[in-house]
Amino acid sequence: MILTVTLNTALDITYRVRSLRPHASHRVSEVIERPGGKGVNVGRVLAALGHEVTVTGFAGGGTGRAVRDGLARAEGLTDALVPVAGATRRTIAVVDEHSGDTTQLNEPGPQIAPAEWAMFLDRYAELLSGASAVALCGSLPPGVPVGAYAGLIRTARSLGVPVLLDTSGEPLRRGVAARPDIIKPNADELAELTGSHDPLRATESARRRGAHTVIASLGPNGLLASTPEGRWRVIPPAREHGNPTGAGDSAVAGLLSGLLDQLPWPDRLTRAVALSVATVRSPTAGDFDRAVYERLLARLSVTTA
């Protein structure tokens, strides 16, 4: 079982409009609601790849009920969310059908009480006992300690469970010091962590700070990996137009899937990039186009960095 942790779960709402214009009224052509947050998106892709996935984090209020109802309908996902008094946040994605661009609005999330955090820590320790890997993903809701991910990493490492961390800012800085197996920052997050805007130099710096392996997400320029076994880069053959929401989460799913399938690093990276691009091409945020994914797997090449 793969455990995905989304401390700031969300109800993802996608609006499609013909053309998004500031200061104007818009007619929405389609509305899609589904459980979200980075770890939930990761879990959905992993389940589609045939892995058993358990999702944990927090859920509360009417939006929390909607998230749990959606998880109950999702094939391959087990709901292990911890109930809280506050309402789960919403994220709003507005897709401009004319340009293909997406505008994202993210709410901050509910206030987490100390007793609720303690309840989560107990649940997390229980779930780790049956986990083959854990992904710690996304932002922290108000009330959760800024060093939360560092503590969760140490708990997983004490039980021998591989950990992938995908967050930003101070939670990333503290989490790296706890020596996660993999981190997957984007270029901006990596520069903020290390102070370097050169991706290759920054990945090496992040490893010196504690990360065992660093996978830098460079948007349309693919992935750059710095690992104990070597350094590689995978670049998509062409820039893809579509909705990028969830593309980074699909990359995380590819990395975890490759880890459990014991693939060599170049194959893990091509899987991650193929899933990421296939997510951009999917009409629904957070899904991936399987035909695009399979086509790209055969076309992508890996170079040493």
Side-chain angles (χ1 to χ4, degrees):
M1 177 268 287
I2 301 175
L3 178 63
T4 70
V5 175
T6 313
L7 296 177
N8 214 1
T9 52
L11 180 65
D12 285 349
I13 303 171
T14 301
Y15 294 139
R16 300 186 71 88
V17 300
R18 179 167 295 180
S19 179
L20 183 62
R21 304 181 308 280
H23 317 299
S25 178
H26 298 79
R27 187 175 297 277
V28 177
S29 61
E30 183 182 27
V31 181
I32 299 173
E33 292 189 1
R34 65 190 312 175
K38 292 179 73 64
V40 175
N41 294 336
V42 170
R44 186 183 295 113
V45 174
L46 283 167
L49 293 173
H51 295 281
E52 179 186 351
V53 182
T54 296
V55 174
T56 191
F58 298 110
T63 48
R65 287 193 296 275
V67 166
R68 303 194 84 156
D69 289 345
L71 288 175
R73 296 189 297 270
E75 187 174 347
L77 297 181
T78 298
D79 175 2
L81 296 172
V82 173
V84 294
T88 296
R89 68 186 178 129
R90 298 164 296 177
T91 66
I92 311 297
V94 183
V95 179
D96 184 322
E97 295 175 338
H98 176 71
S99 68
D101 293 334
T102 300
T103 299
Q104 191 84 14
L105 303 172
N106 297 327
E107 296 180 355
Q111 180 75 31
I112 305 300
E116 293 167 338
W117 176 239
M119 187 184 306
F120 169 80
L121 292 176
D122 289 342
R123 176 69 59 86
Y124 176 72
E126 293 171 2
L127 293 169
L128 277 178
S129 64
S132 52
V134 59
L136 306 174
C137 303
S139 61
L140 302 179
V144 172
V146 70
Y149 282 136
L152 299 181
I153 290 166
R154 293 187 187 101
T155 300
R157 286 179 56 83
S158 72
L159 297 173
V161 180
V163 185
L164 186 152
L165 176 64
D166 185 13
T167 189
S168 61
E170 187 65 12
L172 174 60
R173 189 184 70 80
R174 298 198 186 193
V176 165
R179 307 187 66 79
D181 295 272
I182 305 172
I183 64 170
K184 195 210 67 64
N186 63 32
D188 290 339
E189 293 162 350
L190 188 59
E192 182 182 4
L193 173 66
T194 65
S196 174
H197 291 274
D198 176 80
L200 187 56
R201 185 176 300 170
T203 56
E204 291 299 312
S205 175
R207 288 195 62 218
R208 288 193 297 270
R209 291 165 188 262
H212 187 70
T213 289
V214 180
I215 311 295
S217 178
L218 305 178
N221 292 319
L223 295 180
L224 172 65
S226 178
T227 82
E229 291 80 20
R231 300 183 303 195
W232 294 275
R233 189 163 192 166
V234 183
I235 302 175
R239 187 182 182 93
E240 299 286 348
H241 296 282
N243 185 356
T245 305
D249 305 329
S250 292
V252 168
L255 295 170
L256 286 172
S257 176
L259 169 68
L260 294 188
D261 289 345
Q262 299 182 329
L263 297 180
W265 271 111
D267 292 340
R268 297 188 207 182
L269 296 172
T270 55
R271 179 178 291 186
V273 171
L275 282 169
S276 181
V277 175
T279 299
V280 174
R281 290 289 302 275
S282 172
T284 303
D287 281 338
F288 69 94
D289 185 313
R290 191 171 288 274
V292 172
Y293 165 63
E294 293 175 352
R295 172 172 56 82
L296 280 173
L297 272 181
R299 294 179 58 194
L300 287 170
S301 61
V302 182
T303 60
T304 56

